Amino acid sequence: MSAPVYAHLGGISGVVYDQATNLPLRGVNVQLTGLGKAALTNELGQFRFDGLVAAPYKVELSHLGFKALIIDVIVHDDKVTFLKTALTNAPVELSEVVVSSQRAHDQQLISSLDIKLRPIVNSQEILRLVPGLFIGQHAGGGKAEQIFLRGFDLDHGTDIRLTVDGMPVNMVSHAHGQGYADLHFVIPELVEGADFKKGPYTTEKGNLATAGWVDFRTKTALDHSFVKLEAGQYNTYRAVAGLDLLGQKGRAKNQSAYLASEYSYSDSYFDNPQHFKRLNVMGKYHGHLAPNTNLTLTGSTFWSKWNHSGQVPDRAIESGLIGFFGSVDPSEGGETSRTNFNAQLVTVTPRNHSIKNQFFYSNYNFELYSNFTFFKEDSINGDQIRQKEHRNLFGYNGSYSTQTYVGKSRWTTTLGAQYRQDITHHTELSHTKNRTETLNRIKFGNVNEINAAAYADELIQFSDHFTLNAGVRLDYFRSQYEGLLPVTATTKRATQAIVSPKLNLYYTFNPSLQLYLNTGKGFHSNDARVVVAQDGRQILPGAYGSDLGVIFKPFPKLLVNAAAWYLWLQQEFVYVGDEGVVEPSGRSRREGIDVSVRYQLTKNLYADVDLNTAKPRAIDAETGQNYLPLAPTFTSTGGLSLQTRSGLNGSIRYRYMGDRPANEDNSIVAKGYFVTDLQANYTKRSYNIGLSIQNLFNTRWKETQFATESRLPGEAAPVDEIHFTPGTPFFARLSLTYSW
């Protein structure tokens, strides 16, 4: 005789919280010790193990920057044991970092380490969280930074997609340049982390994500209220305050809210004072509408106004016409503002399906006065230009994710939809004089641009070793430009679509070694004024890339991430916003190697170094005439960071950019630089004293450089040579923070 036998299996489920804020922790590594079973907490901090035989178990929880925890649990037949666990902050231990097969596609080991060890002290450091990313400021602190990454001079964001809490930063069809990304509306002290990936390999990320993408995450809650005061050289002052509005009573109800503000003023180090002013205000609310649904609301407003000295030619310094920090046209400057609203709703169903909805809106204003060529075009009034626009930006991001098991493999399916619309009013390029007189309007009109997208993404974990990610997205663009000048008083429209497939493979040998191959197609859109001029043809050129990389820990306290990469771009048409003309740039190819190393020297001392090489070339040009102007070929950053239990912490860091071609035949060279910065803090429970020094050794360097043809007063003919903005000299600031 025979009879069927049914196993009465149980399970373990739970929620993990941050003890300081009582908010759920996403991405906590949860392991059943000795069984090889592991899980990651979801958006609501939840995890679950099913199909467990009734027996005692050890559950191990670990998360970077938190104290690891081991819990003894007994599983009974037909019952799911529930755990509610809080993790406490702890010093970073590199030995606890695990190369995870559970989140091979999106693990952020390097950025998670850096944000814990190198607190952000100014707005520039926000972007420098990405290894290999360099920035340059050439308009006095108020204009968006020029960005360099992976052999690209990205201008102000043409080929890198920047978001804050999922809300877009880049402005398409911008008055100054395509993809213009001004991050100055973010208060540095409120940045909790930065997720990034280099290359066009993430299905969720669409337009502009060719060299890569970065999503900055602001804090959901404040650990405590604080006030921070700063004062430094060059008449520099800054005040920041953050108020926890709900306190412990709110946390007990799974709610949090805070209000923060920042005001900055500086005359800066130029001979002509900047009179730079910036004001930021931000508020954020987080709460649970239901046990499995949370809502996050964020509102912010930002305003900035400044004067700047612009780029100056080498010959003006050499002749003694001006000093190294002088100006040819001291009337340059600008004013900008941005007001944002962002609503995010996340639901995790009892079957662990994740539904995300996000709605965002921005009202944006921009006015910039520049003079790049001085008296080349107008020998009487000069060549000053005004670029100006008013913009309303609104959109939606939504996704639905579900997990299913097929045999021993886990399939995570994500379907998403995205919508963005930019409506500008009086986008302008004009020839001006002294920022007061309009001499001639060159471009003047309204832009109405829509980008709608849908995508599907599949993440398959075949085993504890092998993971595959495949995805495809479809982007549709409708571009409209209404010319308002008498000679161009017409409205033109154009549409085009593009399909972008992705395929990523990961093989995790053990918790110390992982190999990966990323491949994918991306794109960046072009200015609506170019699109309608081309009748929608060839205005969404593809970018095809691949990364072959490794993440490994040869020793418990050493982490290495290295990749060889390749990126090929099709023909594109580039709108030169400073001149109002269209230039074809042809096809291009970039290849290189990225290496990032993080090492814990002692219990309190950490070292890091990033090395990045690139060989950028134009494909259709002759050899010797095929250099890509200003594209970096070798960069490196690194430093030492100290964290002690006594309260002393800080870092000393360097930035190096090698010489690079400034024009197509490399006859004009943009000189490299090596700059060192210092940050030191003494922290106690209720206060912090900080010292920040930029350019510790007072190196004379050129922060941004361009090969420009210009004419100075009295010159008979224009001269083509390096024009530059001087980099920061020795610049010290003291800060005092009080918290309660």
Side-chain angles (χ1 to χ4, degrees), residues 351-363:
R351 293 187 176 184
N352 204 30
H353 297 183
S354 178
I355 304 169
K356 298 180 184 179
N357 291 283
Q358 177 182 21
F359 300 88
F360 55 84
Y361 167 78
S362 293
N363 177 268

Side-chain angles (χ1 to χ4, degrees), residues 21 23 164-165 185-193 216-226 240-247 250-251 255-262 280-287 295-301 342 344 740:
T21 62
L23 292 175
V164 175
D165 295 327
F185 68 89
V186 179
I187 300 174
E189 287 79 3
L190 300 182
V191 175
E192 184 175 56
F216 299 96
R217 290 177 282 109
T218 60
K219 294 181 178 180
T220 303
L222 296 180
D223 297 349
H224 43 251
S225 300
F226 71 93
V240 190
L243 299 177
D244 179 7
L245 299 178
L246 299 182
R251 292 171 191 171
Q255 291 181 319
S256 66
Y258 67 82
L259 183 66
S261 183
E262 170 199 35
N280 266 316
V281 179
M282 175 181 170
K284 196 167 189 176
Y285 166 82
H286 177 83
L295 172 69
T296 305
L297 301 175
T298 308
S300 66
T301 190
N342 190 9
Q344 296 168 287
W740 67 95

Side-chain angles (χ1 to χ4, degrees), residues 18 31 51 65 71 175 185 289 338-339 353 473 536 549 622 626 628 689 717 734:
D18 180 347
Q31 290 186 317
I71 303 173
F185 68 89
L289 301 182
R338 178 170 178 165
T339 299
H353 297 183
R473 64 177 291 129
E622 297 179 5
N626 60 344
L628 297 178
I689 300 172
L734 281 171

Side-chain angles (χ1 to χ4, degrees), residues 429-440:
L429 171 63
S430 296
H431 179 200
T432 60
K433 182 180 179 181
N434 295 324
R435 290 171 67 169
T436 56
E437 186 178 350
T438 301
L439 302 176
N440 177 41

Side-chain angles (χ1 to χ4, degrees), residues 572-649:
E572 54 186 300
F573 292 89
V574 177
Y575 178 79
V576 183
D578 300 330
E579 300 176 20
V581 298
V582 177
E583 291 182 353
S585 66
R587 298 178 298 169
S588 65
R589 178 184 66 246
R590 292 168 173 84
E591 55 193 359
I593 296 175
D594 290 346
V595 179
S596 294
V597 181
R598 304 293 183 263
Y599 183 50
Q600 186 171 355
L601 296 166
T602 69
K603 191 172 183 63
N604 301 317
L605 187 63
Y606 307 82
D608 66 272
V609 64
D610 297 313
L611 303 168
N612 310 96
T613 69
K615 185 180 179 181
R617 292 290 186 270
I619 295 175
D620 300 318
E622 297 179 5
T623 302
Q625 303 288 327
N626 60 344
Y627 294 94
L628 297 178
L630 302 180
T633 57
F634 180 73
T635 62
S636 179
T637 59
L640 296 172
S641 300
L642 178 70
Q643 289 191 343
T644 69
R645 294 184 180 275
S646 65
L648 183 64
N649 60 84

Side-chain angles (χ1 to χ4, degrees), residues 646-719:
S646 65
L648 183 64
N649 60 84
S651 65
I652 183 167
R653 305 197 52 73
Y654 76 86
R655 306 192 306 277
Y656 172 74
M657 178 178 285
D659 294 352
R660 60 199 191 279
N663 60 356
E664 288 79 1
D665 63 4
N666 201 22
S667 60
I668 302 177
V669 176
K671 296 295 184 182
Y673 57 82
F674 188 101
V675 179
T676 307
D677 300 329
L678 174 71
Q679 175 71 29
N681 299 287
Y682 183 70
T683 305
K684 287 299 183 183
R685 184 173 181 178
S686 61
Y687 69 90
N688 176 83
I689 300 172
L691 170 66
S692 173
I693 300 177
Q694 294 176 261
N695 196 356
L696 178 64
F697 301 111
N698 201 25
T699 301
R700 178 161 285 197
W701 60 297
K702 299 175 180 179
E703 186 166 7
T704 60
Q705 301 171 66
F706 303 87
T708 306
E709 191 176 64
S710 68
R711 183 165 65 170
L712 295 172
E715 287 185 334
V719 177

Side-chain angles (χ1 to χ4, degrees), residues 532-571:
V532 299
Q534 295 293 131
D535 294 324
R537 298 189 304 270
Q538 295 180 296
I539 51 84
L540 289 176
Y544 300 84
S546 61
D547 270 50
L548 178 61
V550 59
I551 304 174
F552 70 106
K553 292 183 66 182
F555 311 107
K557 296 189 177 183
L558 176 65
L559 176 67
V560 180
N561 189 349
W565 58 270
Y566 178 90
L567 190 63
W568 184 91
L569 275 76
Q570 282 181 321
Q571 168 71 43

